[in-house]
Amino acid sequence: MYAKVAVNLPPIRGSFDYHIPPALEGRVRPGHLVVVPFGSRRAQGIVLSLLDSSTIAETRPIERLIDPEPVLTLAQLKLALWLQLQTLAPAIDCMTLMIPPGLSQQTDSRYTLQKPDTPIQDRLESRLVSLLKRRGPLRGRQINRAIPRVNWSRAADRLLRRGIIQRESVLNPPKVHAHQVRTARLALHPEATRAATNRLGRPGSNASRRRMKIVATLIAEGEPLEVTWLYAESGGSLADLRYLEDKGLIILSEAEVWRDPLAALDFVPSSPPQLTRDQDTAWKEIDAAIRQAVSEPVTPFLLHGVTGSGKTEIYMRAVAETLKLNRGALILVPEIALTPQTVRRFLARFPGQVGLIHSQLSAGERYDTWRRSRLGQLPVIVGARSALFSPLPNIGLIVLDESHDDSYKEQGRAPHYHAREAALAYSQILNAVCILGSATPDITTTYRATRGQIQRLELPKRILGHQRRLKDQADRLGVHSHYRNVTSEAAMTELPPVSVIDMRQELRAGNRSLFSRALMQALNETLSAGHQAILFLNRRGASTYVFCRDCGYVLHCPRCEMPLTYHTAQKELLCHHCGYHRQLPPTCPNCGSDRIKQFGAGTQRIEQELLELFPNARTLRWDRDTTRSKGAHQIILAHFATHRADVLIGTQMIAKGLDLPLVTLVGVVSADVGLNLPDFRAAERTFQTLIQVAGRAGRSLLGGRVILQTYQPDHYVILNSAKHDYQAFYQQEVRHRKDLGFPPFRRLTRLIYRHTSLSSARKEAKRLADVLRQRIAQSEMAADLIGPVPCFYQRLRGDYRWQLVLRAADPVSLIPDNLTQGWIIDVDPVSLL
């Protein structure tokens, strides 16, 4: 037998035939992670398929299995090949998305210095030799960290040819393993053990008392215990356990323990509430599809429901029915910040059956959750984008909450997939139900629904509670209900009213504050009533940029050419793209003036001005600067939810799916941010953000209101946001897209070239542009090319960036197979910035 294997050895693409040696016959299956020889190196690979014969005359053997079970299911293999076709990324890159970090490893090179005293003239060669002389043999990834953002490989090749250094191929072993702990258990019957406790050392000694306590604890618990537990209970040590083992009283052994990120999470079991009429109508359609999907593909659903309309209850009903059919469910949320709140709700309904996946978990926690899901022990997985690739054995449901969110698009490293599109394709491979939930669906998804490709279900009314919950809430808050009953159990309310404040009029009235007079008054009323407020700004730091008021010079990052942002807490300027930081200069570097001014507003400055107006207000900031550490999202949310703060100031994170009953005021400090960016989705993105953040107000008996500050009060985005009118916005935006030939009417593919040299970046972009124009001319497809032009963010992390944008029904087919190294391909980009 033979196996076709995709080798994890960049930049090598494609798959290769290997024969299966006798020792592995009958054990190798598609999806297995294996070690194979490749030239003089050894590499990891994934088995794509088994073959009866091979066209290769002399094949080499698979050396071993890294995991006894396949790491990819057959459905995942099909999804990986779909991703390859859609993103033009190597198949192996698409497959390693589905393997937990630390298990999949790429072959590396180890460099050793051979002739340390050889004279060297080249500066980079000298730097590399000095590094190896100082630190000894290093692997390629270690040199990358020591000499960042520098292409040192050519210098290394020159040193290799002269025999100054030596290079050898190494394959790192997996970094994650099952977690083993030492345990102790009784070796005798409890009665026999008690009889022997009179000979555990000198009577009355500390050692004797510790050992007796260990034995007593083991007898009382009646099961093996971790030794760390015994140490805590008895004050004993490993020496005491060894003593007891030598006496034949206990047995020490190793046991595997799951690393469970949900082990310490508190939740209260709950039962399903009665559905409203709108919910029941939507649920009947989904319920029928769940049963139908057991035997045949079904049409995906768009669950379009206003904020607070009960979409999550529909998701949980769908999970319950899916579990009854012995199938699994994947629940995706766009941000890590939302996972604790979502997980608690699902744990309350499905205790012991829910797993959690996101990037802030430790490698061990992700590995153990991955293994438990593969075994079928966790049939419900909740998490961010990567949770889509959990290896559940029989998936019957995929849910994307807030499906419009850009966080579902991988914009960092290849493959640049969109989880929404991948989920739709995966559901067809699996015969599973796919539900896309949103209060503000993306334009393309809604357009597909109008054409029958997706079934649209609507929840137009805000349902905020059931009678028992509302009564408890009324008693606790001391207020009367203003909800209207829609069933014997549920009650509803209108979406919060939105007041649009023209900041031009504020300036004319002499108000130079970040806060309009209406927002100041509303904040005063809210704080006086003991309620909570959210202030939203699409920006971080204390100011947008720092400039000289005399000559206009703006302080930029030397590596990215992006304006530096001033941060009050650190008292320094920071680049949010590459991390470069420096002190604020006392004078202008260009003209020497001391009139250096911080222009714009960020979360820190809003907090500062708020405290000047309301010194007794307790504030919290929630942005990427305050949530870098593990668990920070959950801590901030818990503090605000328990009313340890009065005002939450934040960026996009606070706009997404949070249920905070005491929030009665949402203030959008600057609704215009992002509205005029040179991007075809700028209006859509701004509308979605404003609707989402407005939805955080009025989610309890206390009611709520929204104040939206803007310099463009007549813009259709602002007008429709104020009326919560998605349909009016969609109709206007889709007409605009059709006139300009943007999605959903034509697809886009963005090609970005990065190089440390500006002239090289420009030259290569123009070369490929000529090639693409020739291919367009030879094609019968209606297509056009935008560019080559510098990217909006022209320089990032030391690299200059030039871009081309292909616009066609199938732009991928126009791209050459072998692009020059340095090109990034982004099919269906969510942004052109």
Side-chain angles (χ1 to χ4, degrees):
M1 291 290 292
Y2 299 84
K4 190 171 290 294
V5 178
V7 178
N8 193 2
L9 198 64
I12 294 167
R13 293 170 173 253
S15 56
F16 303 86
D17 290 357
Y18 290 85
H19 67 261
I20 300 174
L24 294 178
E25 284 183 2
R27 296 172 57 195
V28 177
R29 287 177 280 164
H32 258 125
L33 186 62
V34 297
V35 175
V36 294
F38 195 93
S40 61
R41 295 173 285 181
R42 295 166 67 248
Q44 281 190 2
I46 295 176
V47 177
L48 300 178
S49 61
L50 301 183
L51 309 169
D52 292 326
S53 60
S54 174
T55 57
I56 307 301
E58 293 187 18
T59 57
R60 302 178 73 179
I62 293 175
E63 293 186 2
R64 63 185 177 89
L65 303 179
I66 291 177
D67 191 299
E69 295 296 322
V71 297
L72 298 183
T73 66
L74 294 178
Q76 285 181 308
L77 284 172
K78 292 179 182 179
L79 177 61
L81 296 177
W82 179 88
L83 286 170
Q84 178 192 17
L85 293 174
Q86 293 295 311
T87 65
L88 301 185
I92 189 65
D93 289 351
C94 299
M95 293 175 198
T96 51
L97 283 174
M98 306 174 190
I99 303 174
L103 185 60
S104 174
Q105 297 291 316
Q106 292 181 349
T107 299
D108 202 350
S109 296
R110 181 165 52 217
Y111 295 85
T112 306
L113 187 60
Q114 298 293 306
K115 300 177 181 178
D117 299 323
T118 304
I120 296 173
Q121 301 299 321
D122 183 82
R123 183 179 176 184
L124 185 54
E125 290 179 12
S126 177
R127 188 177 176 186
L128 190 56
V129 168
S130 297
L131 178 67
L132 294 173
K133 187 183 295 185
R134 185 173 70 253
R135 295 179 53 182
L138 293 175
R139 302 191 179 201
R141 66 191 64 182
Q142 294 173 303
I143 298 176
N144 281 333
R145 288 194 292 269
I147 311 178
R149 295 182 296 277
V150 174
N151 185 4
W152 52 265
S153 58
R154 292 178 183 175
D157 288 341
R158 294 193 295 269
L159 294 170
L160 280 165
R161 287 194 292 270
R162 304 204 303 269
I164 297 173
I165 64 174
Q166 181 184 31
R167 179 173 62 197
E168 60 179 326
S169 176
V170 290
L171 177 62
N172 297 319
K175 294 181 180 179
V176 289
H177 305 277
H179 183 48
Q180 301 285 335
V181 297
R182 180 173 284 150
T183 64
R185 61 184 174 88
L186 295 177
L188 306 173
H189 189 276
E191 293 303 322
T193 306
R194 285 194 185 94
T197 54
N198 57 356
R199 48 186 176 85
L200 299 183
R202 184 167 53 85
S205 66
N206 289 334
S208 176
R209 284 194 290 270
R210 291 195 307 268
R211 294 160 187 166
M212 290 178 68
K213 180 65 173 175
I214 290 171
V215 171
T217 302
L218 287 170
I219 291 173
E221 294 296 330
E223 61 183 3
L225 297 177
E226 289 186 37
V227 297
T228 52
W229 173 263
L230 289 171
Y231 297 158
E233 285 291 302
S234 66
S237 64
L238 182 59
D240 293 315
L241 296 177
R242 294 288 190 203
Y243 179 91
L244 293 170
E245 186 180 40
D246 291 341
K247 292 290 186 181
L249 297 179
I250 68 171
I251 297 173
L252 295 177
S253 59
E254 298 282 327
E256 182 181 348
V257 174
W258 295 116
R259 288 159 289 200
D260 184 1
L262 302 178
L265 195 65
D266 295 326
F267 64 92
V268 178
S270 68
S271 56
Q274 181 179 337
L275 298 179
T276 66
R277 182 179 301 173
D278 291 331
Q279 285 178 312
D280 188 57
T281 300
W283 168 238
K284 286 177 180 176
E285 295 288 339
I286 293 172
D287 186 28
I290 289 171
R291 301 176 190 282
Q292 181 184 345
V294 174
S295 57
E296 59 181 316
V298 294
T299 303
F301 292 99
L302 168 59
L303 186 60
H304 184 182
V306 299
T307 55
S309 59
K311 294 186 291 293
T312 304
E313 180 56 37
I314 300 295
Y315 304 156
M316 291 195 284
R317 297 269 178 142
V319 170
E321 291 304 311
T322 301
L323 294 179
K324 288 179 184 178
L325 297 171
N326 294 317
R327 307 189 77 186
L330 302 175
I331 313 297
L332 274 60
V333 294
E335 287 278 0
I336 294 169
L338 299 182
T339 50
Q341 197 173 39
T342 305
V343 164
R344 274 195 174 89
R345 297 188 69 174
F346 279 87
L347 272 176
R349 192 72 61 86
F350 311 106
Q353 301 181 80
V354 179
L356 176 64
I357 291 285
H358 61 69
S359 60
Q360 283 195 1
L361 300 179
S362 69
E365 288 171 334
R366 294 183 74 174
Y367 179 58
D368 282 359
T369 302
W370 175 83
R371 287 195 302 144
R372 292 173 72 191
S373 66
R374 183 175 64 170
L375 292 169
Q377 295 181 6
L378 298 173
V380 182
I381 297 294
V382 178
R385 185 176 58 226
S386 59
L388 179 65
F389 305 122
S390 302
L392 295 181
N394 183 16
I395 298 170
L397 175 68
I398 304 175
V399 173
L400 272 78
D401 192 28
E402 311 284 2
S403 63
H404 64 277
D405 199 280
D406 287 352
S407 299
Y408 284 122
K409 178 69 184 270
E410 171 58 71
Q411 300 184 68
R413 59 180 184 178
H416 298 289
Y417 71 97
H418 200 303
R420 183 179 62 242
E421 301 305 314
L424 289 169
Y426 200 19
S427 67
Q428 297 303 300
I429 293 170
L430 295 161
N431 278 9
V433 170
C434 183
I435 304 174
L436 308 178
S438 177
T440 53
D442 64 286
I443 297 296
T444 298
T445 298
T446 301
Y447 181 75
R448 289 176 180 171
T450 64
R451 298 173 66 86
Q453 299 168 8
I454 296 175
Q455 184 176 350
R456 184 178 181 180
L457 305 172
E458 295 191 71
L459 300 176
K461 300 174 183 177
R462 172 173 270 199
I463 310 298
L464 292 185
H466 290 73
Q467 295 301 322
R468 181 177 298 177
R469 179 186 175 219
L470 295 176
K471 183 179 184 305
D472 292 342
Q473 197 176 86
D475 292 341
R476 186 173 70 254
L477 299 175
V479 296
H480 296 290
S481 175
H482 63 274
Y483 290 92
R484 297 196 304 273
N485 291 346
V486 293
T487 71
S488 59
E489 284 291 320
M492 64 165 288
T493 190
E494 301 296 333
L495 290 166
V498 179
S499 300
V500 176
I501 305 301
D502 187 346
M503 294 302 286
R504 297 171 302 180
Q505 297 296 333
E506 292 295 309
L507 288 174
R508 293 188 187 108
N511 181 13
R512 304 288 175 181
S513 168
L514 291 174
F515 306 128
S516 63
R517 291 163 294 177
L519 183 53
M520 289 185 208
Q521 181 180 345
L523 281 166
N524 184 50
E525 293 169 356
T526 300
L527 296 174
S528 298
H531 300 165
Q532 291 178 301
I534 287 177
L535 295 179
F536 172 77
L537 179 72
N538 186 12
R539 203 171 282 168
R540 292 182 296 173
S543 64
T544 307
Y545 58 91
V546 177
F547 77 110
C548 174
R549 286 192 283 179
D550 285 338
C551 71
Y553 179 82
V554 176
L555 275 70
H556 287 86
C557 170
R559 296 198 292 255
C560 299
E561 295 187 356
M562 294 295 297
L564 294 171
T565 302
Y566 183 70
H567 284 252
T568 306
Q570 295 84 8
K571 295 183 179 179
E572 65 180 10
L573 299 166
L574 177 67
C575 173
H576 285 292
H577 287 278
C578 73
Y580 170 84
H581 56 94
R582 59 163 293 177
Q583 295 295 313
L584 178 68
T587 59
C588 173
N590 185 53
C591 71
S593 167
D594 60 0
R595 288 159 55 83
I596 294 284
K597 179 179 174 60
Q598 300 150 24
F599 183 80
T603 52
Q604 292 180 17
R605 185 172 164 200
I606 289 174
E607 182 179 38
Q608 181 181 345
E609 288 208 15
L610 178 71
L611 291 174
E612 289 174 1
L613 291 169
F614 305 100
N616 296 323
R618 299 169 299 168
T619 62
L620 273 176
R621 284 196 301 116
W622 192 352
D623 53 32
R624 295 196 186 278
D625 294 326
T626 60
T627 55
R628 295 186 185 276
S629 60
K630 182 178 179 180
H633 295 285
Q634 193 168 352
I635 292 170
I636 292 173
L637 180 58
H639 275 65
F640 195 63
T642 54
H643 207 174
R644 297 184 196 176
D646 304 309
V647 183
L648 180 63
I649 305 164
T651 53
Q652 288 98 325
M653 295 182 188
I654 65 174
K656 299 174 181 177
L658 301 176
D659 188 357
L660 301 164
L662 287 177
V663 173
T664 59
L665 172 65
V666 168
V668 180
V669 177
S670 180
D672 309 305
V673 173
L675 190 56
N676 299 306
L677 290 172
D679 182 42
F680 75 101
R681 291 191 63 244
E684 177 185 5
R685 195 177 294 113
T686 302
F687 176 81
Q688 289 169 336
T689 301
L690 294 178
I691 291 292
Q692 292 288 331
V693 74
R696 299 316 109 211
R699 299 176 75 97
S700 74
L701 293 174
L702 297 172
R705 53 180 162 165
V706 180
I707 293 179
L708 193 156
Q709 299 183 163
T710 176
Y711 288 92
Q712 301 179 66
D714 298 323
H715 196 288
Y716 71 97
V717 166
I718 304 298
L719 294 173
N720 291 317
S721 298
K723 294 185 289 186
H724 301 280
D725 194 341
Y726 174 85
Q727 199 58 35
F729 167 77
Y730 169 78
Q731 294 296 341
Q732 191 157 353
E733 181 67 12
V734 83
R735 284 196 301 270
H736 184 59
R737 298 274 187 94
K738 187 174 184 179
D739 292 341
L740 296 176
F742 280 117
F745 301 98
R746 296 169 88 184
R747 294 181 67 189
L748 303 179
T749 293
R750 185 187 189 199
L751 297 103
I752 303 172
Y753 187 71
R754 303 179 63 146
H755 201 281
T756 54
S757 164
L758 174 60
S759 61
S760 296
R762 180 172 55 238
K763 182 179 178 181
E764 172 59 20
K766 290 182 177 179
R767 184 201 67 79
L768 183 59
D770 291 339
V771 172
L772 291 173
R773 288 192 184 99
Q774 290 177 5
R775 295 174 73 94
I776 290 171
Q778 295 166 2
S779 169
E780 297 180 358
M781 188 187 315
D784 61 279
L785 180 68
I786 303 171
V789 293
C791 294
F792 182 77
Y793 301 121
Q794 183 176 0
R795 196 177 181 209
L796 288 179
R797 300 177 181 89
D799 286 339
Y800 290 95
R801 310 191 317 152
W802 276 63
Q803 74 175 16
L804 302 163
V805 178
L806 271 170
R807 184 163 52 182
D810 182 19
V812 171
S813 64
L814 298 170
I815 300 173
D817 291 333
N818 297 313
L819 293 177
T820 303
Q821 187 174 357
W823 279 104
I824 298 169
I825 303 173
D826 186 0
V827 181
D828 298 323
V830 296
S831 172
L832 297 180
L833 299 179

